[in-house]
Amino acid sequence: MEGMENEGNSSHDPQLSEQTQAFVKGPEHLENVYVDKEAVYKLTEGLLSHYLPGLQNSKRTLQELTQNQLILLDTLDQEVTKFQECNALLDLNSLFTEAKVYHNKLVNIRKEMMLLHERTTKLKKRALKLQQHKQKEALEREQQREKELERERQLIAKPAKRT
């Protein structure tokens, strides 16, 4: 019994069996220990009845937490998808804005090209008129020169024919 007190057991029960005393004194006395199967069964039942409800409750709580986490993950995935769609819409809006800017640029370039086409057409007509006018003037000068040459030929004295 002194061994039990040395082992830290403060309860002093004189009815402890020798087997129990041997178990309490230390593992070196375990060789001669008799184990009552019914006592082991009852102790096991008591231990299970004491801890099992709490463990089962903890298990249910953990399962609920796991289920809630899965639901939360699904919700987060949906939110991420929504944000991605919003970003895609923003990208799409910026693409439409950019397309509108380029469309306006194309319209302006087309107007400019039409204006340039009109100007070049007018310049071609004017150049043709000028060319025709110059040709006419050149022709008139040539005709005038020929007239003057003919006139000079007529003015040149011709020797009279001897008869």
Side-chain angles (χ1 to χ4, degrees), residues 31-162:
E31 297 168 2
N32 300 329
V33 174
Y34 168 74
V35 178
D36 185 10
K37 289 187 179 186
E38 187 177 337
V40 170
Y41 177 75
K42 287 183 180 179
L43 287 172
T44 304
E45 285 290 318
L47 186 67
L48 285 176
S49 68
H50 181 71
Y51 288 108
L52 192 60
L55 289 173
Q56 288 175 338
N57 192 21
S58 296
K59 181 180 178 182
R60 276 193 303 275
T61 304
L62 284 174
Q63 286 174 340
E64 287 177 21
L65 285 174
T66 303
Q67 181 107 15
N68 289 341
Q69 279 183 332
L70 291 174
I71 292 170
L72 185 61
L73 284 174
D74 286 343
T75 305
L76 283 175
D77 282 343
Q78 291 172 359
E79 292 299 318
V80 165
T81 304
K82 286 180 186 177
F83 280 119
Q84 289 172 342
E85 288 172 0
C86 285
N87 285 340
L89 285 176
L90 290 175
D91 291 343
L92 190 61
N93 286 338
S94 67
L95 284 176
F96 276 119
T97 303
E98 193 173 344
K100 188 175 181 181
V101 167
Y102 285 121
H103 176 72
N104 289 338
K105 285 183 179 183
L106 284 173
V107 168
N108 289 337
I109 289 172
R110 185 170 184 252
K111 285 180 184 178
E112 244 182 271
M113 289 181 73
M114 290 175 69
L115 183 68
L116 288 173
H117 178 69
E118 288 176 18
R119 286 183 183 174
T120 55
T121 304
K122 287 179 182 178
L123 284 174
K124 285 179 183 179
K125 286 181 182 179
R126 185 174 174 204
L128 184 62
K129 284 182 183 180
L130 285 173
Q131 186 181 10
Q132 288 173 349
H133 183 67
K134 284 185 179 185
Q135 285 176 350
K136 186 178 176 183
E137 282 181 354
L139 184 62
E140 287 175 0
R141 276 193 302 252
E142 188 64 33
Q143 288 175 352
Q144 184 70 24
R145 198 168 17 136
E146 284 180 19
K147 282 183 186 179
E148 285 178 18
L149 283 176
E150 185 63 34
R151 189 174 152 200
E152 283 180 23
R153 270 187 265 161
Q154 288 177 0
L155 288 177
I156 296 179
K158 294 182 188 178
K161 291 184 184 179
R162 287 188 186 182

Side-chain angles (χ1 to χ4, degrees), residues 14-25:
Q15 294 185 354
L16 285 176
S17 67
E18 289 181 17
Q19 290 91 8
T20 307
Q21 287 179 10
F23 180 71
V24 172
K25 285 185 182 177

